[in-house]
Amino acid sequence: MSDYLTTLRELRERALMGGGPRRIQQQHERGKLTARERLALLLDDGSFQEFGALATHNITDFGMADQRYPGDGIVTGLGKINGRRVAVFAQDFTVMGGSFSEVQSHKICRIQNLALESGIPLIGLNDSGGARIQEGVRSLAAYGEVFQRNVLASGVVPQISVMLGPCAGGAVYSPALTDFVIMARDTSFMFLTGPEVIKAVTGEEVNAANLGGPLIHNCRSGVAHFLAANEQAAISLTKLLLSYLPQNNTEDPPQVAPYDPADRMEESLNNVVPLSESDPYDMHLVIDAVFDRDSVLEVHSCYAPNAIVAFARLDGHAVGIVANQPAHLAGALDIDASDKISRFIRICDAYSIPLITFVDCPGFLPGVDQEYHGVIRHGAKIIYAYTEATVPKISIVTRKAMGGSYVAMSSKQMRNDLAYAWPTAQIAVMGAEGAVRILYRQELSKAADPAATERKYIQEYRDMFFNPFRAADLGQIDEVIEPRETRPRLIRALEVLRTKVQHNPAKKHGLMPV
Ligand code: HXC
């Protein structure tokens, strides 16, 4: 064998070993896989083509000349997932904590460019201590290059970030710019500044889990969209999520062969809404009954549980679901739910995924805290996102559609294509008690028996508005249907709407109330 080939093979061998056997052992002891082990789980066997495996940095400050590893702490390339092409990178914590260098940036930018030009999804497996401190401003500028490409690719190709280690500083900004963030339980963390810096600056004492652990970002901050039990589950989830998404914004999402009868009536739905209007019920029961069996993938399931957003399939076609959840806060819309819903609508619209909305909402959540934190601005995002979305949109009012929530939650005026209501629907400007107290204030103050008079007017108001028939008379509801008919109705409606074409006025971009 020639010397050239021997050298190449030796270098490749070294690249496969990342930071070396001791570091790999430490990585395993932390319950983490190496970058290459993760890629092997993610990609179809034999599909990975690596680029830049031998790249190294040329920094000499801080003794860096002795810390050169082929690949420089990141593995990048192209591969396939279930036969579909993807671009991938996996940071290698065994090399200087996966810290982000100029070389890492060149390697990521290269596959970002390829992903954008070829119209294929980009998946990042993140495990990095942030900007490589020894490289100073080089690594900061290098991050900027990656962020820039994240933004340019946004809405063109799906971008998924899988968090598999302690990610700090710049290592969390790039994921925040992507479409989905998946965190592995126990081993992943995300923070801009870690517990020690926070203690020094603000005096607050907090540990890594309570600052930026998976539960915090999935349930509280909303930074993460999925919580996986471990690394393997996070990687499986990535593959599942991709199955609902198209390769890029010019293609349709993949279709699966229908396996659940399109004409299936679900009798349980006729009794799902409780007789007492103030009793809660779980909207998941409705969703699970309507969509293709076991096809529902909930997004942001722990964040703002008063709303539900999910991918699912109807007769094998991918759809996006937005729903109020009467089992939490009576389904009222608050700031977090508004964020969650509007973001999901935009993702579905970007990737040509039709939207199905289930409405049971008493309105926007009243409260000083909500007002101070801008529920007006945040709630307006829902109106903005629905109106702007040109994908097929269908709504079903299951119970309450009150006031602003009626308008915001995919009403006809939000350019909704078809509006259904169940006979249990209540479509009104506000609840009966509040309305009667405003409309009849004078009369009630003079009534001989104010309580009885109030009850009478409340009943009148209910009889008038607490049904879907007035809205149907006025054409605001296209059809009142039996709940059990919902699945076949939706499937037939989507069959027609699939070829819908709608354009927005030409503009540089709108000004969403962010
Ligand atoms: C260089 C780093 C590094 C970094 C970790 N290492 N982070 N080297 N630059 N940013 C090295 C460590 O020195 C160590 O090397 C090895 O990686 C493993 O790190 P440990 O600390 O032993 O691991 P662990 O205990 O698991 O802690 C991981 C960690 C911690 C939480 C990520 O290392 C840490 O806090 N790192 C610094 C995080 C940070 O503040 N980054 C800069 C953010 S600023 P040895 O050889 O000792 O084993 C930023 C600005 C970008 O990113 C802004 C863009 C807009």
Side-chain angles (χ1 to χ4, degrees), residues 349 385-393 415 417 500-504:
D349 190 45
Y386 267 125
T387 306
E388 189 187 43
T390 56
V391 286
K393 291 179 285 193
R415 306 201 297 175
D417 297 296
K500 171 187 173 184
V501 178
Q502 189 174 39
H503 296 290
N504 290 328

Side-chain angles (χ1 to χ4, degrees), residues 64-273:
M64 287 290 281
D66 301 328
Q67 294 213 56
R68 289 213 171 96
Y69 299 87
D72 206 36
I74 193 161
V75 185
T76 56
L78 302 176
K80 286 188 177 170
I81 293 178
N82 295 325
R84 299 169 75 205
R85 296 173 303 147
V86 292
V88 285
F89 71 80
Q91 287 174 313
D92 183 352
F93 195 83
T94 68
V95 175
M96 290 175 269
S99 54
F100 187 83
S101 65
E102 207 169 32
V103 172
Q104 284 212 6
S105 173
H106 289 153
K107 289 177 66 173
I108 295 181
C109 290
R110 172 100 180 94
I111 59 154
Q112 284 181 308
N113 292 346
L114 282 171
L116 192 54
E117 285 157 12
S118 311
I120 59 177
L122 176 72
I123 298 163
L125 307 183
N126 296 272
D127 191 357
S128 167
R132 188 171 292 168
I133 296 162
Q134 298 90 328
E135 292 200 12
V137 71
R138 282 170 187 257
S139 63
L140 299 182
Y143 260 135
E145 294 288 340
V146 171
F147 300 164
Q148 178 199 109
R149 284 165 180 77
N150 284 135
V151 174
L152 295 178
S154 179
V156 182
V157 293
Q159 301 182 78
I160 301 176
S161 299
V162 192
M163 313 308 291
L164 300 172
C167 295
V172 296
Y173 270 125
S174 172
L177 291 166
T178 63
D179 304 338
F180 299 100
V181 175
I182 298 173
M183 291 184 81
R185 197 182 267 272
D186 298 331
T187 51
S188 71
F189 303 90
M190 296 174 77
F191 29 73
L192 288 181
T193 48
E196 283 170 34
V197 178
I198 289 187
K199 188 173 177 197
V201 175
T202 70
E204 293 163 294
E205 292 205 30
V206 62
N207 62 25
N210 288 333
L211 180 64
L215 284 174
I216 293 296
H217 287 309
N218 274 275
C219 303
R220 200 147 174 184
S221 73
V223 167
H225 303 86
F226 297 97
L227 173 60
N230 52 38
E231 294 203 2
Q232 288 82 351
I235 289 170
S236 300
L237 192 55
T238 308
K239 298 189 207 188
L240 180 64
L241 175 58
L242 266 183
S243 74
Y244 294 88
L245 303 172
Q247 290 290 89
N248 58 63
N249 65 338
T250 66
E251 295 185 11
D252 286 328
Q255 213 182 315
V256 306
Y259 57 87
D260 195 356
D263 57 359
R264 177 167 60 78
M265 298 266 191
E266 192 58 53
E267 298 297 330
S268 66
L269 290 178
N270 275 4
N271 298 310
V272 81
V273 175

Side-chain angles (χ1 to χ4, degrees), residues 30 40-41 75 118-119 136 151 156 167 197 216 263 287 296 306 320 331 333-334 380 453 460 495 497:
R30 289 177 163 131
L41 280 180
V75 185
S118 311
V151 174
V156 182
C167 295
V197 178
I216 293 296
D263 57 359
I287 291 170
V296 179
N306 40 326
L333 291 168
D334 61 356
T453 314
E460 273 178 23
E495 228 171 17
L497 289 172

Side-chain angles (χ1 to χ4, degrees), residues 260-270 289-290 481-489 491-492:
D260 195 356
D263 57 359
R264 177 167 60 78
M265 298 266 191
E266 192 58 53
E267 298 297 330
S268 66
L269 290 178
N270 275 4
V290 168
I481 61 171
E482 280 196 39
R484 69 190 186 116
E485 296 173 68
T486 305
R487 174 178 167 83
R489 287 277 188 168
I491 289 174
R492 272 183 272 150

